[in-house]
């Protein structure tokens, strides 16, 4: 009988201990707790599809996607359509820096107007306003509005990465 009473007392103590709030071992150790399955997961921040380039703040361009992106703190903040150079005069691929800018530029070589020119690669290669239905002479054509935005947002020295 004595063994039965001891067992009942022990069972009561264990039950009382289970009902009392206990500090989880992970929390006591300063580790974050796993999310509860009953609680909804926190919202996930979705960012628009963007470039796969290493530029943190500057611009990226994909010749195959015919898109350019303005980058700020590693996030694509603006995606714009673009038209690169054609097969005979391709846009160079690589990582460059904006060398200089000219709001109202005319090509000495071709005589073409190049509004909002942001020069970033050797040979006079720039982002500038131009038709999106006709290849450039190696530059990156943007709409008038998008070229003005790129001109305003890319300072001299900003990084530009162009990939295939």
């Amino acid at each position: 009988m004595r063994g039965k009473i001891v067992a009942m007392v022990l069972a009561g103590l264990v039950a009382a201990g289970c009902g009392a709030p206990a500090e989880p071992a992970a929390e006591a150790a300063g580790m974050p707790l796993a999310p509860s399955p009953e609680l909804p997961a926190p919202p996930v921040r979705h960012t628009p599809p963007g470039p796969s380039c290493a530029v943190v703040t500057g611009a990226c361009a994909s010749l195959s996607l015919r898109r350019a992106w303005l980058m700020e703190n590693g996030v694509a903040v603006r995606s714009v359509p673009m038209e690169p150079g054609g097969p005979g005069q391709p846009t160079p691929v690589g990582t460059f820096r904006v060398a200089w800018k000219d709001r109202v530029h005319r090509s000495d070589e071709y005589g073409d107007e190049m509004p909002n020119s942001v020069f970033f690669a050797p040979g006079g290669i720039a982002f500038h306003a131009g038709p999106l239905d006709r290849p450039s002479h190696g530059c990156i054509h943007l709409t008038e509005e998008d070229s003005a935005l790129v001109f305003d947002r890319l300072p001299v020295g900003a990084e530009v990465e162009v990939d295939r």
Side-chain angles (χ1 to χ4, degrees), residues 53-126:
C53 76
V55 172
V56 175
T57 299
C60 300
S62 170
L63 302 179
S64 61
L65 296 176
R66 300 241 186 306
R67 301 288 307 171
W69 294 267
L70 281 174
M71 304 294 293
E72 289 182 8
N73 300 316
V75 176
V77 295
R78 180 75 182 256
S79 172
V80 299
M82 62 87 153
E83 183 64 30
Q89 297 170 305
T91 302
V93 173
T95 302
F96 310 95
R97 294 232 176 240
V98 173
W100 62 290
K101 298 166 37 167
D102 189 358
R103 179 80 68 186
V104 182
H105 187 78
R106 177 183 283 280
S107 168
D108 292 336
E109 190 172 348
Y110 300 104
D112 295 337
E113 295 292 325
M114 297 170 57
N116 303 315
S117 291
V118 178
F119 294 91
F120 63 85
I125 304 300

Side-chain angles (χ1 to χ4, degrees), residues 15-32:
C18 290
E23 186 173 348
E27 190 175 349
M31 297 170 54

